[in-house]
Amino acid sequence: MAASLDTDGSKTLKPTIEIPTSRSGSTDAPMSPQSWRKRKNSYNPPSRAHTAASLDANDYFVGPRDMSKHSKWPFFLRMHGSVLPKMILPLTVVTLWSTLITCLSEFVYELKVSNLLLTVLGFVVGLAISFRTSSAYERYTEGRKYWSQLQLVGQNFSRTVWVHVAERDGDLGKEDLLAKISALNLVNAFARAMQHKLRFEPGIDYPDLKERVEYLETFAKVAEADIPKAKEPGKLKAAGEYLGVTFAESNPRKRIKRSKKPLGNLPLEILSHLSSYVEYVNQNETLKNGLYHNQLITSIVAFNDVLVGVERVLNTPLPIAYSIAISQITWVYVMMLPFQMWDDLRWVTIPGSIFAAYIILGIAAIGREIENPFGEDVNDLPLETFCQELEADIDYIMSNPRPNVAEFFRSDLNMPLGPLSQKSFDGWMARSKQDIRDALMTKTKADMRIRNSYSKVREEEEDEKHHGQLQHGQQQQEA
């Protein structure tokens, strides 16, 4: 393993993987499911690594957060993942407003109201923000559960196909092997297609998706030429998005709405092709056991359930009436703070209003950010990481042929009755079945004696402790 050169010429610690040439003498370029990551013109996923040579604003404002990174800074000093940048403008407004009210109250006319209003409004605002935050976090956890289900079903489907779908002799066996690999690649394609769909990225022209589905006849492939290309936002617009200015935010569905042809539902169409593969292996009798056939069909149904579930989370936000009312109630409360605090705090009203506004508006901002857990905010779910984990798991499954029981059980390292006996599988094959059962009984009795010895030691320690307490109590009474 050696260090390799990155696209900018700098040295990285990425391993250089050498793929062996074909034994048949073919000169075709080697391909790998991970090959798209090594290209020069590669897609930069939102969960990006920090730049080492310069200070890049995307390091702090673009997500999702890289879960593999570890920060030694205490939480109250961290910027990456904080909503503080989006609080700059609201806190500036609160600062100017509280300064104005304080100056008018000090030099012109006393603008003050009873603290009773602060108590009543504070209770209502607390309920409203709690409802907003809890509903947003519920959507966040539900989205994570669906992606966990996707990983579970993907691993189960891939393992069932790889192990239980037989490979026939000759060229038919080669066809069966390539068909199995293509089917498992479609599982990866389904995850990637769902990721792009949840982020309103239409079409198939993405390096992590195109090569996996370009050969399929889908609506997204036909409409690709008519889909508007994504544009990089200007510096002013990007700064507005970083600071949470609503007027700078673009409609995420803009490219979908401007498409001139129907885009279809790419993840659902991929599932149709997977269903065709299951029917194919059933007809050619490479999958003879009906139980595994039902298991594959059930897995495809589970894939569909995940797709419908994440779409439900995405397309069913908090009703707009609640969002508007909670925002209005929160801002009314924040704007009323200087009137209620000035009589007791005087000039301290200004920093007091700022701190109170940061607490209230900050919690509300967190609720807004995690309401859509599939976006590109720092605190959103790292969908790229989930897809890469699934791809790696499927690669692990495909890296070796179906395990042969006669080979791995008969290994010299397999000690069925260890640690009681160091004999291997073949060693016990030379003994009778009754000897094996007697050894199992001996092992059980030995385990019970060991457990009893542990319990006796604990009982003795407890008795000694209790005896020491009694002696200590008697000494105190005598004293």
Side-chain angles (χ1 to χ4, degrees):
M1 182 182 297
S4 60
L5 291 179
D6 207 346
T7 54
D8 58 356
S10 60
K11 245 183 193 182
T12 67
L13 295 179
K14 297 178 181 178
T16 302
I17 302 175
E18 297 181 359
I19 301 177
T21 58
S22 174
R23 296 179 181 177
S24 59
S26 174
T27 58
D28 294 339
M31 292 298 294
S32 167
Q34 313 295 335
S35 61
W36 62 271
R37 297 178 189 165
K38 307 299 181 183
R39 296 177 183 170
K40 293 182 179 180
N41 298 324
S42 180
Y43 174 69
N44 292 324
S47 55
R48 55 196 299 278
H50 284 221
T51 53
S54 63
L55 182 63
D56 192 344
N58 288 335
D59 290 339
Y60 300 96
F61 301 109
V62 175
R65 185 169 63 93
D66 189 354
M67 303 299 292
S68 64
K69 298 293 183 180
H70 173 70
S71 176
K72 296 183 178 180
W73 287 95
F75 280 105
F76 70 93
L77 291 178
R78 295 185 187 182
M79 179 64 68
H80 188 58
S82 172
V83 295
L84 181 60
K86 296 182 180 180
M87 298 295 298
I88 294 177
L89 292 182
L91 292 181
T92 302
V93 173
V94 172
T95 302
L96 296 176
W97 175 255
S98 59
T99 302
L100 175 63
I101 299 303
T102 302
C103 291
L104 290 176
S105 299
E106 286 286 344
F107 304 116
V108 181
Y109 183 78
E110 295 184 356
L111 300 173
K112 59 181 180 179
V113 295
S114 173
N115 289 335
L116 179 62
L117 184 62
L118 182 68
T119 304
V120 175
L121 287 180
F123 178 74
V124 176
V125 170
L127 287 178
I129 294 179
S130 176
F131 172 73
R132 173 62 182 266
T133 307
S134 60
S135 62
Y137 187 72
E138 182 180 358
R139 291 164 54 83
Y140 185 89
T141 55
E142 193 171 3
R144 181 64 183 98
K145 289 178 181 178
Y146 279 119
W147 275 92
S148 297
Q149 183 180 350
L150 173 63
Q151 290 178 301
L152 171 64
V153 178
Q155 293 172 1
N156 184 51
F157 181 91
S158 303
R159 188 188 65 253
T160 303
V161 168
W162 194 252
V163 174
H164 299 292
V165 176
E167 298 172 12
R168 294 167 288 185
D169 297 330
D171 289 339
L172 291 178
K174 190 188 304 182
E175 179 183 343
D176 294 334
L177 176 59
L178 292 174
K180 288 164 67 172
I181 297 173
S182 300
L184 300 194
N185 286 338
L186 284 182
V187 176
N188 291 326
F190 172 77
R192 289 293 183 176
M194 196 170 72
Q195 167 200 323
H196 292 294
K197 181 178 178 62
L198 294 176
R199 290 181 175 169
F200 309 108
E201 297 170 346
I204 64 172
D205 192 15
Y206 306 98
D208 55 6
L209 178 64
K210 185 175 182 179
E211 292 180 355
R212 290 170 173 157
V213 299
E214 193 174 17
Y215 64 94
L216 305 179
E217 293 299 327
T218 60
F219 283 94
K221 175 184 175 181
V222 175
E224 183 62 45
D226 298 311
I227 298 176
K229 300 299 180 182
K231 298 180 180 179
E232 290 291 333
K235 294 183 178 180
L236 186 61
K237 184 177 179 62
E241 292 179 350
Y242 294 155
L243 297 177
V245 180
T246 55
F247 295 102
E249 296 177 358
S250 301
N251 182 4
R253 296 177 172 85
K254 183 187 299 183
R255 296 177 62 201
I256 298 177
K257 294 170 64 176
R258 292 181 178 178
S259 176
K260 299 178 182 179
K261 293 183 179 179
L263 298 173
N265 190 335
L266 183 57
L268 184 61
E269 295 175 73
I270 293 175
L271 291 184
S272 298
H273 288 82
L274 280 176
S275 297
S276 298
Y277 170 74
V278 174
E279 183 63 23
Y280 167 76
V281 297
N282 184 46
Q283 290 180 355
N284 64 19
E285 296 184 350
T286 52
L287 185 65
K288 297 180 180 180
N289 194 326
L291 177 63
Y292 298 127
H293 177 266
N294 292 336
Q295 186 173 345
L296 292 179
I297 293 297
T298 304
S299 297
I300 293 178
V301 173
F303 279 134
N304 206 343
D305 180 63
V306 171
L307 176 61
V308 174
V310 293
E311 287 181 340
R312 175 176 58 82
V313 173
L314 179 68
N315 297 322
T316 315
L318 189 69
I320 189 64
Y322 278 107
S323 299
I324 294 174
I326 291 173
S327 179
Q328 291 174 342
I329 292 172
T330 302
W331 273 103
V332 167
Y333 179 77
V334 170
M335 291 302 186
M336 289 295 295
L337 286 175
F339 296 97
Q340 301 171 78
M341 298 170 65
W342 176 81
D343 193 29
D344 295 326
L345 302 180
R346 298 295 174 171
W347 289 106
V348 184
T349 299
I350 300 175
S353 299
I354 296 174
F355 294 148
Y358 177 76
I359 295 172
I360 298 170
L361 298 179
I363 297 175
I366 294 173
R368 286 195 303 271
E369 183 167 319
I370 66 174
E371 187 177 16
N372 176 16
F374 310 123
E376 298 179 9
D377 293 325
V378 177
N379 292 296
D380 288 334
L381 294 173
L383 304 187
E384 293 86 2
T385 302
F386 299 157
C387 292
Q388 290 173 6
E389 290 176 354
L390 180 60
E391 291 172 11
D393 292 337
I394 294 178
D395 286 343
Y396 298 149
I397 293 174
M398 294 192 298
S399 61
N400 290 300
R402 178 175 61 182
N404 189 339
V405 177
E407 292 180 358
F408 63 81
F409 275 166
R410 288 183 176 273
S411 171
D412 294 336
L413 299 177
N414 179 24
M415 296 179 292
L417 298 181
L420 178 66
S421 173
Q422 303 298 318
K423 286 186 178 182
S424 64
F425 189 97
D426 288 333
W428 281 104
M429 283 293 294
R431 306 287 294 272
S432 66
K433 184 183 293 187
Q434 188 60 39
D435 290 341
I436 298 175
R437 295 191 183 279
D438 292 341
L440 288 173
M441 179 59 69
T442 304
K443 180 182 178 183
T444 303
K445 291 179 179 180
D447 290 342
M448 291 179 64
R449 284 196 296 269
I450 293 174
R451 294 192 187 99
N452 291 334
S453 65
Y454 287 158
S455 62
K456 288 181 180 179
V457 171
R458 286 195 295 267
E459 290 176 0
E460 291 176 358
E461 290 177 353
E462 292 178 357
D463 291 341
E464 290 178 359
K465 182 178 180 181
H466 181 66
H467 182 67
Q469 291 177 350
L470 290 177
Q471 287 183 345
H472 182 68
Q474 292 176 357
Q475 291 175 358
Q476 288 182 344
Q477 290 179 358
E478 292 176 357

